[in-house]
Structure formats: C-alpha cells, structure tokens
Amino acid sequence: MPIQKSEIRKAYLLDKYVIITPGRAKRPRDIKEETIVSRTEPCPFCPEKIYQKNIVDKISSGNKWHILSIKNIFPAVTLTNKKAYGSQEVIIETPDHIKEIADFNSAGIEDVLRMYARRTEKLSKNKNLDYILCFKNQGSKAGASIIHSHSQVFATKIIPPVLREEARLAESYNIKHGRCPYCDIIKNEIKSKRKICSDKLIAAFTPYASEYHYEAWIFPRRHLDNITQLNRNEIKSIAGTLKIILKKLQVLDLSFNFYLHNVITDKHQHFYIKIQPRDSVWAGVELGSGLVINSVSPEEAAKYYRK
Ligand SMILES: [Zn+2]
Ligand SMILES: [Zn+2]
C-alpha cells in the first residue's frame, strides 16, 4: 500500500492546526496500557461507602439506585469560596465496581445522559454559574484515578476563553451565512469518509482536523444548544451511538475522555459530545508549537468505527 502523504489541516472554526501523518500510523496498539493497583481501602464510589449527606441526585429502579450524583469531596471550586467560585459533583454511573460504561446496556447509558441533563438543568438555575461541563475520564492516560465508572460535573462563573472564541466564530459564520456552522458541518460530514453513522436524529463522525487518534463527535441533528433540550428519542440514539464508539475503543484498550459541548447561555451553540481517546502523548512539537501531530487519519478512524 502506498504511504499517504502528511497533510496540515485547520479546525472547522478555531484557528488550530493539526498535521495528519497517516504514513507514520502504526497498528493501533501493541502494549497493554493500564496498571490497576489493588485497593488497600474500600472504593469511595461503592454503595457501602456512600454517605447519604453527600447525595445530590439519584436515578433508581425500585428501591435501589443505579446512578447517583454526589458532592465532589476534593473540589477545586466551591459555592462558598468567592475566590474560586463554582460547583463540582461526581456522577457514579453504576453500583457495580468493575463494570465499564461500554458494557452498560443502552438504557444504562441513556440514564447517564439523563443525569447530565438533570444536573445541567439544576445548576443552570444558579445565575452565578455561567459554564457547566459534564465529562468523563476513563483510564489512567485520561486522568482517571478510580476505576469505578463515574463522570464529573464542573461548573464555574468563567466561560473558558477557547469556548468564547468558538462562540464568536460561530456567531460571525451565522451573520455571514445565516446558518449555524455546525448544522452545515454535520450536513457535509455525513456525506464524507469521516462519517461513523447517522440516522434521522443524530450524526457521528470523526472531525476533519482530529487532534487525537480515533477522536469522534456525536451531534443531535436538530439545532439545540444544550443537553437539557434533547428529547427521549434523541437521547436513545445518542446513547446507542456512544455505546458503539466506546465498545470500539475498548477493543483498542484506549483511555479516553468525553465531554459535552454545552454552553447554557448561548443559543447559537450547537450541543455535541466530543470523545477524545488518549493514545498519543503530546510531546515537544505539541507543547512547543501548539501544532498537533496525529498519525491516525480521521478517515481511517471512521472506517474502523464503521466496520
Ligand atoms: Zn467501587
Ligand atoms: Zn446548529
């Protein structure tokens, strides 16, 4: 097979560049990644270690919870600290200590999304919080410290500059073309080699300037700006797609982060989920120049997801 040439690509909106170098792609993995240390203390997310006073929300079946949101016991920001104002919660996605989210049934993943929506709705009532981030770290390379499946909610007063910049660029696109840029991106990408899957409600693809190996984005096709506006069928479709993607990452044994692009105060934003596997370690080029080298082209990644 001929070696494909490298290509510098610009992100859809942001002034960010990636060098796609498929010629350097190796097979996905040749070493096992994680070292799981055995616990000396009980896991703080297992049912017997949950303190009632820390529970802020729960989804139950019968009299047993299967998803909890609890206060983060080691928060960086709190509602009582004026110098670092914010809120942090941990969403425990299952009472089962070792079950990974990729192994949940679709209904289980739907409930995780529902919990994100509930927490987003609740926290958005606090007018001093302008930004709410729901995210998940799985695996040591993604920064997870506890294997028990969980996500986090992080809310602050500050809208991060990169999001403000994206919002500004989306707005100027809107003024120029009269449409949301992401609605256009979705239309183009589901006709491209980067398409993972799509149906009437959602679209999933690998972004043109993927920064991470096997990076994948999932969008609702309807223009909506945050997760609280998803309807039942959209949640179902997103959960099914997320499961397909996470199962594929499980086969590759990759750590990953995923997070919601959710700007609660901006109707021009289009809600989506970004899944960023943490295979490659950013080194001198990335840290020194801000340019990212990605040796798995998004076209190749999409092909893997479609298989
Ligand atoms: Zn546990
Ligand atoms: Zn849109």
Side-chain angles (χ1 to χ4, degrees), residues 28 142 255 277 280:
S255 293
S280 49

Side-chain angles (χ1 to χ4, degrees), residues 180-183 222-224 268-270:
C180 156
Y182 283 104
C183 286
R222 191 162 63 95
H223 181 88
L224 44 92
H268 291 305
Q269 291 297 303
H270 196 127

Side-chain angles (χ1 to χ4, degrees), residues 67 84 94 106 144 164 185 224 233 235 269-270 272 281 283:
I67 301 189
T94 166
S106 273
R164 261 188 284 146
I185 291 165
L224 44 92
N233 290 332
I235 287 187
Q269 291 297 303
H270 196 127
Y272 64 108
V281 176

Side-chain angles (χ1 to χ4, degrees), residues 20-219:
I20 306 287
T21 59
R24 304 197 330 164
K26 294 188 282 285
R27 66 191 177 86
R29 284 220 74 73
D30 50 8
I31 45 165
K32 184 111 172 110
E33 166 178 304
E34 296 229 64
T35 315
I36 295 170
V37 288
S38 52
R39 286 208 149 268
T40 48
E41 285 167 33
C43 161
F45 301 158
C46 273
E48 59 274 21
K49 290 296 286 178
I50 303 291
Y51 298 104
Q52 282 301 320
K53 65 174 171 50
N54 290 333
I55 298 175
V56 291
D57 202 350
K58 71 169 104 174
I59 297 179
S60 309
S61 33
N63 55 2
K64 279 207 181 105
W65 65 267
H66 62 273
I67 301 189
L68 283 186
S69 187
I70 62 168
K71 286 181 205 159
N72 187 320
I73 311 166
F74 301 101
V77 294
T78 60
L79 296 173
T80 50
N81 183 356
K82 279 196 185 129
K83 288 188 173 172
Y85 186 83
S87 175
Q88 278 179 269
E89 298 176 11
V90 176
I91 294 174
I92 304 169
E93 298 156 359
T94 166
D96 187 327
H97 181 69
I98 51 167
K99 197 169 189 177
E100 285 185 8
I101 189 166
D103 295 322
F104 291 12
N105 59 24
S106 273
I109 299 178
E110 282 169 41
D111 278 343
V112 172
L113 297 174
R114 254 175 223 120
M115 184 58 104
Y116 294 160
R118 275 160 69 148
R119 300 319 301 154
T120 301
E121 184 160 25
K122 177 81 179 103
L123 289 162
S124 66
K125 295 207 164 86
N126 178 341
K127 294 299 164 212
N128 293 318
L129 295 172
D130 278 339
Y131 178 61
I132 302 166
L133 175 69
C134 299
F135 67 98
K136 178 174 174 72
N137 308 331
Q138 183 180 305
S140 56
K141 279 195 186 170
S145 45
I146 291 177
I147 64 161
H148 195 134
S149 196
H150 67 284
S151 305
Q152 299 183 54
V153 186
F154 175 88
T156 64
K157 214 177 156 42
I158 309 163
I159 298 181
V162 65
L163 283 176
R164 261 188 284 146
E165 177 62 6
E166 196 171 343
R168 189 187 66 78
L169 292 164
E171 204 184 333
S172 52
Y173 184 98
N174 221 314
I175 290 167
K176 198 167 162 197
H177 303 275
R179 298 181 306 268
C180 156
Y182 283 104
C183 286
D184 281 358
I185 291 165
I186 295 166
K187 270 190 217 131
N188 293 332
E189 290 297 16
I190 57 173
K191 288 183 271 173
S192 81
K193 286 182 177 164
R194 291 175 291 275
K195 174 182 163 178
I196 298 173
C197 62
S198 71
D199 61 23
K200 277 194 305 225
L201 304 172
I202 64 102
F205 55 87
T206 56
Y208 173 72
S210 292
E211 286 186 295
Y212 297 87
H213 296 178
Y214 303 97
E215 178 166 351
W217 295 2
I218 308 173
F219 280 84

